[in-house]
Amino acid sequence: MAARLLPLVKLATKVTIAGGALYIACDSGLLGSSEQGSEALEKAKAAIPPAIEEWMKYFGLETQLPTIPKVEFSPVQAWNSGVRQSMSFLSEAPTNATKYTNQGLQYLKDLTK
């Protein structure tokens, strides 16, 4: 009986953890717009260092953590850059396909001479 119940408990645990992670991601705005993602990132940057210090005091660790480097990253700009590059690739795809097809045909013609 326990041997049949163990896989069910493992599956339920995995589904619960995945569901909880998805709920937290949606609730914090990570899966929303890029502005909501930027706000969530700023909240995380503000909340994580004090939480780490609190846990270190709780466990009695007295080491000094290195300072968090200042990273200038805008998810909004990164998203827009990716969209622009994708659209550029798609708009040039027919021209590039024609060009590479012609190069391949020319290569085959040169081989048969």
Side-chain angles (χ1 to χ4, degrees):
M1 169 89 173
R4 289 186 178 183
L5 192 58
L6 184 61
L8 184 62
V9 170
K10 287 172 61 176
L11 177 65
T13 303
K14 290 177 184 179
V15 168
T16 302
I17 291 171
L22 184 63
Y23 173 77
I24 290 172
C26 288
D27 191 46
S28 65
L30 290 176
L31 301 179
S33 67
S34 58
E35 286 84 14
Q36 289 175 333
S38 295
E39 290 172 11
L41 179 62
E42 293 303 320
K43 287 180 188 176
K45 283 182 182 177
I48 289 175
I52 291 175
E53 288 178 18
E54 180 180 331
W55 277 98
M56 289 175 61
K57 289 177 185 175
Y58 178 77
F59 287 113
L61 301 173
E62 295 298 328
T63 59
Q64 180 66 27
L65 292 176
T67 60
I68 297 175
K70 183 76 174 166
V71 177
E72 295 296 326
F73 174 73
S74 172
V76 175
Q77 292 300 324
W79 170 261
N80 290 339
S81 172
V83 170
R84 277 191 230 108
Q85 288 183 350
S86 297
M87 290 301 124
S88 173
F89 170 78
L90 290 174
S91 69
E92 295 170 1
T95 305
N96 288 338
T98 304
K99 181 175 83 174
Y100 292 134
T101 302
N102 289 336
Q103 285 179 355
L105 288 173
Q106 186 62 40
Y107 176 75
L108 290 174
K109 285 179 185 176
D110 291 343
L111 283 178
T112 58
K113 287 184 181 180

